[in-house]
Amino acid sequence: MATTRIDRAQVADTALRLLNEVGLDGLTLRAIAKELKVQAPALYWHFKNKQALLDEMATVMYRRMAADGVPGVSPDAPWQEQLAGFNRALRAMLLSYRDGAKVYGGARFTGTDHAASLEQLLGAMRAAGIAPDDAALAGTTAYAYTMGFVAEEQGMGPEPFDIAARAGAFRGTGARAVLHGQLRRRVGRSDLTAVPEVRRALRELLEHWKHAGPVDVAELLTCELVTNALIHTDQGAVVTATLAPAGLRVEVHDFTPALPEPYVPSADDGTHGRGLLLVQALADAWGVRAHEAGKVVWFELGNGTA
């Protein structure tokens, strides 16, 4: 009988991929083994328990972040910019994984990949005349703040805070705009069954919207954007729909930096390639915004949309 050979790297990579689909609570050794097509006891050859696996996952997360050198840091920049740049990169990395802060926080690295960034940051502070103890305290404080902030973000909902986007969500509504309702859903990688679920949830949100015309358009455009995200990205997406007096804004946030562009499909493409063209044609406004952890594709429908 043929056996499937696996190694630590395969297990960790598979676990990180599943993490984005099921979250930390659903990430069991049994689920990982099933994905790898092995029996669960086979994983214990590589990891003695789940915490040991989480330690390796955190190490891989950092290793990916630092693949091209110390992230967000220029060695010639002032120490304040280096410290802020590193923690911005850390936040972006954590947000690119579902429950990223839970996995990363408290983990014990299984390698020394983090040593280079630590050396560079502490060296920059020491070169500026900061005492070793104070430099270590500054680094630890910034790290703890970043971890706590991301944990709060991911604990309150699947979508990262985007203060600027929220402030300008509806042009001309002012700071006193009142939300009539909000929908948030995280959809898993290639899980096209999530599309009708999002449609149903959106319909419930818009149930009391007095403008019936935009409801059908909203459902169509939302489903197009969600389908695009699931087909063209590999880490799932977060859907947010916000209903306010000025109308509806829908955002689909994914974790792939490549920006989409509308194109005119050929006859051979069947029904593919028309999503953004529909959004462009039917929405009152739409756009694509790069984000530290990927991108957001959004559209708006006002109360007067036909």
Side-chain angles (χ1 to χ4, degrees), residues 221-230 250 252 276 279 297-299:
L221 300 188
T222 301
C223 290
E224 289 291 342
L225 292 187
V226 173
T227 301
N228 280 352
L230 295 182
V250 174
V252 178
L276 286 184
V279 174
V297 184
W298 60 269
F299 72 83

Side-chain angles (χ1 to χ4, degrees), residues 35-249:
E35 187 77 5
L36 288 167
K37 296 181 174 56
V38 299
Q39 297 297 313
L43 302 185
Y44 290 101
W45 284 98
H46 305 285
F47 302 100
K48 64 181 180 180
N49 51 40
K50 186 175 180 180
Q51 185 56 54
L53 173 59
L54 294 178
D55 291 344
E56 182 67 15
M57 290 167 63
T59 304
V60 173
M61 289 164 67
Y62 185 92
R63 191 174 295 140
R64 291 176 179 176
M65 179 181 74
D68 297 322
V70 180
V73 176
S74 169
D76 300 323
W79 69 266
Q80 297 96 326
E81 292 182 16
Q82 293 193 40
L83 187 61
F86 173 81
N87 282 281
R88 280 193 293 267
L90 175 63
R91 173 178 176 258
M93 179 273 286
L94 294 173
L95 288 173
S96 70
Y97 296 94
R98 183 173 176 179
D99 293 333
K102 287 184 180 179
V103 173
Y104 198 84
R108 295 178 179 273
F109 286 144
T110 59
T112 58
D113 306 79
H114 62 291
S117 61
L118 185 61
E119 255 183 56
Q120 183 171 316
L121 290 172
L122 292 177
M125 286 187 271
R126 290 287 294 119
I130 300 175
D133 288 351
D134 292 335
L137 179 61
T140 302
T141 301
Y143 172 80
Y145 173 83
T146 302
M147 292 298 301
F149 187 84
V150 177
E152 183 73 7
E153 286 185 282
Q154 295 184 319
M156 291 183 66
E159 183 182 10
F161 293 159
D162 194 332
I163 297 171
R166 291 289 172 266
F170 293 98
R171 297 179 300 279
T173 58
R176 292 187 296 277
V178 179
L179 297 183
H180 288 178
Q182 188 173 74
L183 159 71
R184 288 185 180 181
R185 287 288 188 280
R186 178 146 192 158
V187 291
R189 174 180 59 93
S190 301
D191 182 14
L192 294 181
T193 61
V195 177
E197 294 174 5
V198 170
R199 181 193 289 269
R200 284 193 294 271
L202 181 65
R203 189 174 296 164
E204 290 178 8
L205 173 68
L206 302 179
E207 185 176 4
H208 303 296
W209 199 14
K210 296 180 180 179
H211 303 272
V215 172
D216 292 337
V217 176
E219 290 182 10
L220 171 64
L221 300 188
T222 301
C223 290
E224 289 291 342
L225 292 187
V226 173
T227 301
N228 280 352
L230 295 182
I231 290 176
H232 299 298
T233 67
D234 60 1
Q235 295 187 22
V238 176
V239 184
T240 303
T242 305
L243 185 60
L248 174 73
R249 180 182 176 97

